Amino acid sequence: MKELTIISGKGGTGKTSILGSFATLSGNSVICDCDVDAANLHLLLHPDIKEKKPFYGGKRAEISPELCSQCGTCEELCRFAAIKDSVVNKYACEGCGLCYQVCPSGAVQLIDHLSGYCYLSETQWGPMVHAKLGIAEGNSGLLVNLVRKKAREIAKERNIPLIISDGPPGIGCPVISSLAGTDMALIVTEPTHSGIHDMERVIRVASGFGCLTAVCINKYDLDEENCRRIEDAANKLGVPVIGRIPYDPVMHQSVINGVPATLLEPGEAQRSIRQVWDQVTVLLGVC
Amino acid sequence: MIISVASGKGGTGKTLVATSLALSLAYEQKPVQLLDCDVEEPNAHIFFKAQPVSERTVSLPVPKVNYEKCQYCGKCAEVCQFNAIALMKRTLVIFPDVCHSCGGCWHLCPTGALEPAAREVGTVSVSQTADLRLVSGRLKLGTHISPPVVKAVRETAERDYITIIDGPPGSSCPVMAAVTDTDYCLLVTEPTPFGLNDLALAVDMLRVLKIPCGVVINRDMPGNQIIDRFCAENGINILLRIPFQTEIARAYAKGIPLVDSDKIWRDKFYNLYHQISGEVSQ
């Protein structure tokens, strides 16, 4: 079983649009949305939810007013400034439990904290695992781990050879969780100054995971000079550019109508996406 | 006044709005600073060709073992909620990557064998152009905890300036660190189901934090009412619309701020600031 993860460094480069198209081209993969913070893939693939599982991302402290002696030890030691006047701010609490350990009157309890949900669904093109992190919740890396674990279980059970994952933007905790153990990272970038800057950073992060890495330039004809700069930068870092997708209103239509681009009237953009997909399957050895 | 710019989703044009808002104030001789709190992908500096005048590292304390004092009792590994310490036979293995720097281990170690040691997680740099003070945070590559870097950027802000914060995408912990205790949050969105989905999450987050907000629609197209309907239902003002135009995308790709690509935007953004200050002072 092989795993492909799409990342970008920067948001809005077209990860989800490309992955949604890949799902239709593959037709036999487990589809994963690892952007648990702002999941969007469901808006393209319209999964039919079969199971919804609560996600407990950690614990939160709670102080019982009856037992609290107002000594202030917890407030003084909390490094997250999460306790004020013996009341825990659940958005600031990281669940480290130091307050629980030091409280002289046993007034602190650690309580499992519901931070989101994980969904198992079916789409026309295969099973899909996705999630929703609660509002203002942390621990997205842990939820990404859970999503990927579920996807692997399903792939094993049903003997599906490929998992394709839509990754989150950035280079932080959820991205790192999305890359751990993946076979290939496909970096989607765009020819803007920001796109180049973020691509260089995310290539360096991906290189720490020892997976195959390749770059795909979306909206490449927006600025041909920046496009060359991307190719040079990727080259210097030893990462191949395996595709260029033109700036095409059909991609915008796809998002507005909630339909993968590959299902709309075929044109240059769809042809390019298919070429990238062919390259990916060759590199992964799943064709 | 502190105005944060957030979006839920990435790539909607937060940086475009934040840089243009800051510049429109600077061009009117207002004291303004831009804080780039999108520390995973800081991009505001691309629009201002200025070398940093100062840079400092952001560190977090992580435990370090003094083996002369360690009794291998395992208390530290037991209290660590993040599995950042493992006790092997006669050695402690510390995983700084998953440590949250809560201090539980060194505080509770019965023999004082654990001490906090600084670990670099990012940098904060300050640059100054003729018009604008820019503070940028940058998460160190391979590090996953960004909120402390966001907090460090905010602590580097000067008082007595109008402050514009360019926030990270999403609606989880790094965004909370960027928008908490700001006077107003400007939500940048685009009129697509993706944009709407993430806007709704961001609005929920701001309700939890009790921060007033308004919307900027980027890549707006006539006849597309998806965001208008949501804002009307939720009582949120739409303060500015930036049309879907290839020329705007091309100028942005070249690193030219919107207010510099066409002067008409200077007045629009300056007016945006006045609308916000009007709402805040009500």
Side-chain angles (χ1 to χ4, degrees), chain B residues 207-235:
Chain B
R207 291 217 168 108
V208 166
L209 297 173
K210 301 190 175 67
I211 296 172
C213 66
V215 161
V216 174
I217 303 182
N218 191 17
R219 301 190 192 104
D220 192 29
M221 282 195 286
N224 192 332
Q225 301 292 311
I226 184 170
I227 301 293
D228 296 72
R229 277 196 295 273
F230 173 83
C231 288
E233 281 161 15
N234 288 277

Coordinates of all heavy atoms in Angstrom, one line a residue, chain B residues 207-235:
Chain B
R207 N -16.8 34.6 17.8 CA -17.9 34.7 18.8 C -17.4 34.2 20.1 O -17.7 34.7 21.2 CB -19.1 33.9 18.3 CG -19.7 34.5 17.1 CD -21.3 34.4 17.1 NE -21.8 35.3 16.1 CZ -22.3 34.9 15.0 NH1 -22.4 33.6 14.7 NH2 -22.7 35.7 14.1
V208 N -16.7 33.0 20.1 CA -16.1 32.5 21.3 C -15.2 33.5 22.0 O -15.2 33.7 23.2 CB -15.3 31.2 21.0 CG1 -14.5 30.8 22.2 CG2 -16.3 30.0 20.7
L209 N -14.4 34.2 21.2 CA -13.5 35.1 21.7 C -14.1 36.5 22.0 O -13.4 37.4 22.5 CB -12.3 35.3 20.8 CG -11.4 34.0 20.6 CD1 -10.4 34.2 19.5 CD2 -10.7 33.6 21.9
K210 N -15.3 36.7 21.5 CA -16.0 38.0 21.7 C -15.3 39.1 21.0 O -15.1 40.2 21.6 CB -16.3 38.3 23.2 CG -17.1 37.2 23.9 CD -17.5 37.7 25.2 CE -18.4 36.7 25.9 NZ -17.8 35.4 26.3
I211 N -14.9 38.9 19.8 CA -14.2 40.0 19.0 C -15.1 40.4 17.9 O -15.6 39.5 17.1 CB -12.8 39.5 18.5 CG1 -11.9 39.1 19.6 CG2 -12.2 40.5 17.5 CD1 -10.6 38.4 19.2
P212 N -15.4 41.7 17.7 CA -16.2 42.1 16.6 C -15.5 41.9 15.3 O -14.3 41.9 15.2 CB -16.4 43.6 16.9 CG -15.3 44.0 17.8 CD -14.9 42.8 18.5
C213 N -16.3 41.6 14.2 CA -15.7 41.3 12.9 C -16.4 41.9 11.8 O -17.6 42.2 11.9 CB -15.5 39.8 12.8 SG -17.0 38.9 12.6
G214 N -15.8 42.0 10.7 CA -16.4 42.4 9.4 C -15.7 41.7 8.3 O -14.7 41.0 8.5
V215 N -16.3 41.7 7.1 CA -15.8 40.8 6.0 C -15.3 41.6 4.8 O -15.9 42.7 4.5 CB -17.0 39.9 5.6 CG1 -16.7 39.3 4.2 CG2 -17.2 38.8 6.6
V216 N -14.2 41.1 4.2 CA -13.7 41.6 3.0 C -13.9 40.5 2.0 O -13.4 39.4 2.2 CB -12.3 42.0 3.0 CG1 -11.7 42.4 1.6 CG2 -12.0 43.2 4.0
I217 N -14.6 40.7 0.9 CA -14.8 39.6 -0.1 C -13.7 39.9 -1.2 O -13.6 40.9 -1.8 CB -16.2 39.7 -0.8 CG1 -17.3 39.5 0.3 CG2 -16.3 38.5 -1.8 CD1 -18.7 39.4 -0.3
N218 N -12.9 38.9 -1.4 CA -11.8 38.9 -2.4 C -12.3 38.1 -3.6 O -13.1 37.1 -3.4 CB -10.5 38.4 -1.8 CG -9.3 38.7 -2.7 OD1 -9.4 39.5 -3.7 ND2 -8.2 38.1 -2.5
R219 N -11.8 38.4 -4.7 CA -12.2 37.7 -6.0 C -13.7 37.7 -6.1 O -14.3 36.6 -6.4 CB -11.6 36.2 -6.0 CG -10.1 36.2 -5.8 CD -9.6 34.8 -6.0 NE -8.2 34.7 -5.6 CZ -7.8 34.2 -4.4 NH1 -8.6 33.6 -3.6 NH2 -6.5 34.2 -4.1
D220 N -14.3 38.8 -5.9 CA -15.7 39.0 -6.0 C -16.2 39.0 -7.4 O -15.5 39.5 -8.3 CB -16.1 40.3 -5.3 CG -17.6 40.3 -5.1 OD1 -18.2 39.3 -4.9 OD2 -18.2 41.4 -5.1
M221 N -17.3 38.3 -7.7 CA -17.9 38.3 -9.0 C -19.3 38.8 -8.9 O -20.1 38.3 -8.0 CB -17.8 36.9 -9.6 CG -16.4 36.6 -10.1 SD -16.4 35.2 -11.1 CE -16.6 33.9 -10.0
P222 N -19.8 39.6 -9.8 CA -21.2 40.1 -9.8 C -22.1 38.9 -9.9 O -21.8 37.9 -10.6 CB -21.3 41.0 -11.1 CG -19.9 41.1 -11.6 CD -19.0 40.1 -11.0
G223 N -23.2 39.0 -9.2 CA -24.2 37.9 -9.3 C -24.0 36.7 -8.3 O -24.8 35.9 -8.2
N224 N -22.8 36.7 -7.7 CA -22.5 35.6 -6.8 C -22.8 36.1 -5.3 O -22.1 36.9 -4.8 CB -21.0 35.2 -6.9 CG -20.8 33.9 -6.2 OD1 -21.5 33.6 -5.3 ND2 -19.8 33.2 -6.7
Q225 N -23.9 35.6 -4.8 CA -24.4 36.1 -3.5 C -24.1 35.2 -2.3 O -24.6 35.4 -1.2 CB -25.9 36.3 -3.6 CG -26.3 37.2 -4.7 CD -25.9 38.7 -4.4 OE1 -26.2 39.2 -3.3 NE2 -25.3 39.3 -5.4
I226 N -23.3 34.2 -2.5 CA -23.2 33.2 -1.4 C -22.7 33.8 -0.1 O -23.2 33.4 1.0 CB -22.3 32.0 -1.9 CG1 -22.1 30.9 -0.9 CG2 -20.9 32.5 -2.3 CD1 -21.5 29.7 -1.5
I227 N -21.7 34.7 -0.1 CA -21.2 35.3 1.1 C -22.2 36.4 1.6 O -22.4 36.5 2.8 CB -19.8 35.9 0.9 CG1 -18.8 34.9 0.4 CG2 -19.3 36.6 2.1 CD1 -18.5 33.8 1.4
D228 N -22.8 37.1 0.7 CA -23.7 38.2 1.1 C -24.9 37.6 1.9 O -25.3 38.2 2.9 CB -24.3 38.9 -0.2 CG -23.3 39.6 -1.0 OD1 -22.5 38.9 -1.6 OD2 -23.3 40.8 -1.0
R229 N -25.4 36.5 1.5 CA -26.5 35.8 2.2 C -26.1 35.4 3.6 O -26.8 35.7 4.6 CB -27.0 34.6 1.4 CG -28.0 34.9 0.3 CD -28.7 33.6 -0.1 NE -27.8 32.7 -0.7 CZ -27.5 32.7 -2.0 NH1 -28.0 33.6 -2.8 NH2 -26.7 31.8 -2.5
F230 N -24.9 34.8 3.7 CA -24.4 34.4 5.0 C -24.2 35.6 5.9 O -24.6 35.6 7.1 CB -23.1 33.7 4.9 CG -22.4 33.4 6.2 CD1 -22.8 32.2 6.9 CD2 -21.4 34.2 6.7 CE1 -22.2 32.0 8.1 CE2 -20.8 33.9 7.9 CZ -21.2 32.8 8.6
C231 N -23.7 36.7 5.4 CA -23.4 37.9 6.2 C -24.7 38.5 6.7 O -24.9 39.0 7.8 CB -22.5 38.9 5.5 SG -20.8 38.3 5.3
A232 N -25.7 38.6 5.8 CA -27.0 39.1 6.1 C -27.7 38.3 7.2 O -28.2 38.9 8.2 CB -27.9 39.2 4.9
E233 N -27.6 37.0 7.1 CA -28.2 36.1 8.1 C -27.6 36.3 9.5 O -28.2 36.1 10.5 CB -28.2 34.7 7.7 CG -29.2 34.3 6.6 CD -28.8 33.0 5.9 OE1 -27.9 32.3 6.4 OE2 -29.4 32.8 4.8
N234 N -26.3 36.6 9.4 CA -25.5 36.6 10.7 C -25.2 38.0 11.2 O -24.5 38.2 12.2 CB -24.2 35.8 10.5 CG -24.5 34.3 10.5 OD1 -24.6 33.6 11.5 ND2 -24.6 33.8 9.3
G235 N -25.7 39.0 10.5 CA -25.5 40.4 11.0 C -24.1 40.8 10.9 O -23.6 41.5 11.8

